[in-house]
Amino acid sequence: MGAFRPARAKALLLAMLTLILVCTVYFYWSPTTASSTVPLVPNTAFEVPLTERQKDFWKVLRPIIERHKPNCPSPEKRGDVQAQHFDPTKDQPRPDLTGLSDEDVRKMEESHAAFIEDVKNSDKKLKPIHTPGKRGLVSTAGATYLPVFVSSLRMLRRAGSNLPVELFMKDATEHEKHICNNVLPKLDARCLILADVVGKNIIEHYQLKIFAVLFSSFEEIVWMDADCFPLGKPEDLLDSEPFKTNGLITWPDFWASSASPLYYRISRQEAPSMAARQSSETGVFLVSKKTHSLALLLAAYYNFYGPSHYFRLLSQGGPGEGDKETFIQAASAVGAPFYTVSERVQAIGHANADQLSGSAMAQSDPREDFALIQQDKRRVKDESVAPAPHIFFIHANYPKFNPGDRIFGMGWETTPTLKKDGSDGRAWTAPPEAIKRFGYDVEKAYWEEIKWVSCNLETAFKTWENKLGLCKRVEEYWGHVFAEPHDDDPKFTLDG
């Protein structure tokens, strides 16, 4: 055994102390930034993957939802509400086509109230998933919706938006590796799989929206369906009224509200006048999770038990029954503020005989709508009081503008790409006054992005496998319709 050497031990000790000092300085002085893929848990100094935060949140939320399951049979269907256009000048009787015994109403009312109370008491355990101050756009897409989403995403970027995007997919069967790993990241978008958090076959199509919002890493969210796109930068809406004051903005559907009187008893609310507001069209909405966390959790409860109980209570078989009414009704039930855009949704399409062959819905700029309401100018009651707001969002909902899914020819009764004589033509030429509210040739821009997707990703999507010639057909259509101006092209500005 060698002799102990004090000098050698001293040198070793100094080296160890130096190493500890360097590590300490590095740890405390290095700037800590939140990665877009691995954000920080709020109020901590430790980086935790988003998936872990989502799973921790779901482990707390799911038992609360299941603990307060409506302890009664599904409501009785006594007929379906017919499509009734909204009329703000008449307070008509609320439709009442759903049956539930007084005892079952009481059970649902108690479960509803107990869920809200349980969530409030579990606030410290339901740790926020989102990163404070982070904002972005959230959507869902898979299968035939995925090519449509990529075109919409390119329209978002074309509008100048820098919002990061989170695209949620139901399960691994919808995940497409090349699109998710190579295409979307170049557009600052990423794919997330809901089944990785909630498990397989837990939530279905109409229930995906609320859970995508809840499990997003964003605090302020612009929601857009895969077939929606903006004409301007959506982040500008987040910095403006009415969002800054209200924290939730929804846009209208064509139809009157058809929520059952029973729903208002269950949620302990007074039923609003039928003339108060339209039903909701939730292809687009804006929400803050900071101000509306309780409302969103109640909306999740409504959606979880939507197919069995709440979808029927909120729509009674009306057009588009599903998640569409859950957001605004949940906010109302917990007393959270919201702004419902007053300006009517506008169907756009092209003339077909004496009718409008509609293939999209146009929603107005909420800032302009809010300014008119502040002046007590309600165009929904009297269109002559002021010019209409500009269009801000397009929901190209029927059919989906997917070159691989019969968009050309007679595949749909709306025949969006055909003129009366059967030649290639524009889909959106009417009503002329609505097209002028676009501000520019939106349809040409949209098809420019569809063309890019078709020609650059022709073999990339699973649903486009073995569908040869998509790029060629889109280029032919583009050449016929958009390459040169035509005498019958519509005007795209209000002063045009």
Side-chain angles (χ1 to χ4, degrees):
M1 185 173 181
F4 176 73
R5 298 178 180 177
R8 188 173 182 181
K10 183 177 180 181
L12 182 60
L13 180 61
L14 285 172
M16 291 176 64
L17 290 172
T18 301
L19 181 61
I20 291 171
L21 178 62
V22 169
C23 290
T24 302
V25 169
Y26 179 81
F27 180 81
Y28 284 104
W29 285 11
S30 293
T32 304
T33 58
S35 164
S36 61
T37 54
V38 190
L40 292 179
V41 173
N43 303 318
T44 76
F46 301 100
E47 289 188 339
V48 177
L50 177 61
T51 302
E52 286 188 30
R53 285 186 281 153
Q54 292 169 330
K55 289 180 178 178
D56 288 343
F57 187 84
W58 184 235
K59 284 178 183 177
V60 178
L61 178 59
R62 182 175 181 177
I64 297 174
I65 292 176
E66 293 180 337
R67 195 153 54 236
H68 303 294
K69 178 179 180 179
N71 187 26
C72 65
S74 299
E76 178 190 354
K77 177 179 176 180
R78 296 174 177 171
D80 286 334
V81 170
Q82 299 301 308
Q84 179 180 335
H85 281 273
F86 173 68
D87 186 346
T89 65
K90 297 179 181 178
D91 185 11
Q92 301 177 2
R94 180 166 291 280
D96 188 6
L97 297 172
T98 300
L100 207 59
S101 70
D102 287 344
E103 176 63 14
D104 289 340
V105 169
R106 183 188 63 78
K107 289 178 179 179
M108 287 194 68
E109 179 184 357
E110 290 177 352
S111 296
H112 187 281
F115 171 79
I116 294 173
E117 193 62 27
D118 207 347
V119 166
K120 290 179 178 177
N121 293 335
S122 302
D123 186 51
K124 292 182 179 179
K125 295 180 181 178
L126 282 166
K127 295 179 181 179
I129 293 171
H130 63 265
T131 302
K134 189 176 181 182
R135 52 172 52 169
L137 186 143
V138 181
S139 190
T140 57
T144 59
Y145 286 83
L146 194 53
V148 176
F149 169 77
V150 177
S151 297
S152 297
L153 178 57
R154 289 184 62 83
M155 286 296 286
L156 176 76
R157 298 301 177 224
R158 188 185 188 110
S161 175
N162 294 315
L163 288 174
V165 175
E166 292 178 347
L167 177 67
F168 283 80
M169 296 168 167
K170 179 184 174 183
D171 54 38
T173 63
E174 293 188 335
H175 186 274
E176 299 193 20
K177 186 175 180 180
H178 176 67
I179 300 298
C180 289
N181 293 354
N182 300 312
V183 176
L184 295 187
K186 294 177 182 177
L187 294 165
D188 197 11
R190 60 168 170 163
C191 300
L192 299 100
I193 299 175
L194 277 170
D196 288 349
V197 180
V198 302
K200 293 183 178 180
N201 303 318
I202 301 298
I203 54 178
E204 299 298 332
H205 176 64
Y206 285 117
Q207 301 163 296
L208 298 179
K209 189 174 294 186
I210 179 59
F211 289 100
V213 168
L214 281 178
F215 294 135
S216 166
S217 70
F218 306 134
E219 179 178 273
E220 292 185 340
I221 290 173
V222 176
W223 172 272
M224 290 197 321
D225 283 359
D227 52 357
C228 292
F229 59 85
L231 310 192
K233 295 167 62 176
E235 52 262 53
D236 290 347
L237 304 183
L238 300 176
D239 291 325
S240 309
E241 295 293 356
F243 182 77
K244 288 179 69 175
T245 297
N246 293 278
L248 172 63
I249 300 179
T250 65
W251 277 261
D253 207 336
F254 299 103
W255 321 112
S257 168
S258 57
S260 167
L262 294 175
Y263 163 73
Y264 293 100
R265 288 176 57 189
I266 290 165
S267 59
R268 297 177 180 173
Q269 299 183 73
E270 182 178 346
S273 162
M274 289 287 287
R277 60 177 180 264
Q278 301 101 309
S279 60
S280 301
E281 199 287 299
T282 51
V284 178
F285 61 88
L286 313 179
V287 68
S288 165
K289 289 199 279 190
K290 180 178 181 180
T291 60
H292 283 69
S293 59
L294 181 58
L296 289 172
L297 291 169
L298 182 57
Y301 178 78
Y302 289 164
N303 277 270
F304 196 85
Y305 296 114
S308 62
H309 291 78
Y310 279 98
F311 290 163
R312 175 70 198 179
L313 288 167
L314 291 171
S315 292
Q316 299 191 95
E321 180 176 285
D323 65 359
K324 66 197 295 289
E325 303 302 327
T326 60
F327 296 91
I328 203 74
Q329 298 291 5
S332 178
V334 298
F338 56 85
Y339 184 83
T340 55
V341 171
S342 174
E343 183 68 28
R344 293 181 187 272
V345 59
Q346 176 66 62
I348 55 173
H350 61 276
N352 187 355
D354 295 329
Q355 297 181 336
L356 176 72
S357 187
S359 55
M361 305 164 73
Q363 300 284 16
S364 296
D365 189 320
R367 298 167 298 185
E368 296 179 27
D369 181 78
F370 178 75
L372 290 176
I373 297 301
Q374 293 299 103
Q375 301 171 54
D376 200 27
K377 295 179 178 180
R378 301 177 183 271
R379 281 179 35 84
V380 70
K381 292 184 177 181
D382 180 3
E383 293 184 353
S384 69
V385 298
H390 285 84
I391 301 298
F392 199 94
F393 290 103
I394 300 289
H395 190 174
N397 62 317
Y398 186 81
K400 311 304 178 190
F401 281 64
N402 181 346
D405 192 21
R406 300 176 291 147
I407 188 64
F408 299 110
M410 304 293 292
W412 306 91
E413 66 269 25
T414 54
T415 59
T417 56
L418 294 181
K419 291 183 177 181
K420 293 179 184 179
D421 62 6
S423 62
D424 287 345
R426 286 176 176 265
W428 303 333
T429 60
E433 292 306 312
I435 303 302
K436 288 180 181 179
R437 293 163 59 198
F438 286 176
Y440 72 101
D441 192 345
V442 171
E443 186 178 2
K444 181 178 180 180
Y446 190 34
W447 273 101
E448 196 166 284
E449 301 305 342
I450 294 172
K451 180 160 66 80
W452 187 95
V453 172
S454 302
C455 294
N456 287 274
L457 303 175
E458 187 173 25
T459 60
F461 299 101
K462 290 180 181 178
T463 56
W464 283 7
E465 290 177 1
N466 303 317
K467 293 191 176 183
L468 304 177
L470 294 184
C471 173
K472 181 180 178 181
R473 180 64 185 99
V474 172
E475 288 185 326
E476 287 176 352
Y477 177 76
W478 171 269
H480 295 158
V481 179
F482 301 109
E484 301 291 339
H486 298 81
D487 292 340
D488 59 352
D489 285 345
K491 304 297 183 183
F492 305 107
T493 59
L494 292 169
D495 56 357

